[in-house]
Amino acid sequence: MASQNLKIGNKGYIATGMITGNIHMADLWEFDPTGVGIDEQLRLEVSIYPNPSNGIFTLQTNQFGIKMDIYDIQGRLMYSEKLGEFKSAINTNLSKGVYLLKLTSSEGSFSQKLIIQ
């Protein structure tokens, strides 16, 4: 297992991965190292289910008016929506693959790996 840390602008990224035979496994996490403390992170509560999904999933938060962006593994924005409810049914129509789901609110941001099967 290899791990790599890098910084682009104000954002930090952590990538991990391994190669076993012909199988490549990798994860990428984005974080904002400026002013993100434990208290800030706990203000935004998020539940995403099912994950993995077929592209249709439920997103539940404790805040109203959150912006949701979904990026592919190359960093391209694939889906974006402003959520007007605390619990939303999401239908992305995305192809099978691994994506990065990012939620942004006035309280901070949250990122999680999203798997579409």
Side-chain angles (χ1 to χ4, degrees), residues 16-31:
T16 63
M18 68 179 170
I19 301 172
T20 306
N22 292 332
I23 300 172
H24 299 259
M25 299 177 68
D27 287 316
L28 175 66
W29 293 277
E30 176 188 68
F31 64 93

Side-chain angles (χ1 to χ4, degrees), residues 59 67 102:
L59 191 140
K67 182 180 180 208
K102 181 177 181 182

Side-chain angles (χ1 to χ4, degrees), residues 57 59-61 63-69 79-90 101-104:
F57 58 92
L59 191 140
Q60 188 169 353
T61 69
Q63 294 182 21
F64 182 80
I66 290 179
K67 182 180 180 208
M68 177 183 69
D69 295 321
Y79 184 89
S80 186
E81 182 176 340
K82 178 101 176 193
L83 305 175
E85 301 178 14
F86 295 107
K87 184 175 181 180
S88 300
I90 310 294
L101 180 138
K102 181 177 181 182
L103 302 175
T104 306

Side-chain angles (χ1 to χ4, degrees), residues 3-114:
S3 177
Q4 179 69 41
N5 298 327
L6 62 124
K7 183 177 177 186
I8 301 172
N10 290 336
K11 300 289 184 180
Y13 298 87
I14 298 175
T16 63
M18 68 179 170
I19 301 172
T20 306
N22 292 332
I23 300 172
H24 299 259
M25 299 177 68
D27 287 316
L28 175 66
W29 293 277
E30 176 188 68
F31 64 93
D32 184 352
T34 58
V36 176
I38 293 172
D39 291 339
E40 258 185 84
Q41 291 176 339
L42 295 178
R43 290 183 196 156
L44 181 59
E45 297 175 11
V46 179
S47 179
I48 301 167
Y49 56 91
N51 188 16
S53 76
N54 62 358
I56 301 171
F57 58 92
T58 299
L59 191 140
Q60 188 169 353
T61 69
N62 64 338
Q63 294 182 21
F64 182 80
I66 290 179
K67 182 180 180 208
M68 177 183 69
D69 295 321
I70 300 176
Y71 298 89
D72 67 9
I73 59 172
Q74 296 174 339
R76 295 179 297 206
L77 180 63
M78 303 302 291
Y79 184 89
S80 186
E81 182 176 340
K82 178 101 176 193
L83 305 175
E85 301 178 14
F86 295 107
K87 184 175 181 180
S88 300
I90 310 294
N91 184 354
T92 63
N93 291 318
L94 292 172
S95 301
K96 294 179 182 181
V98 178
Y99 298 89
L100 177 69
L101 180 138
K102 181 177 181 182
L103 302 175
T104 306
S105 77
S106 60
E107 299 294 326
S109 64
F110 169 88
S111 296
Q112 179 174 325
K113 181 170 55 172
L114 180 68

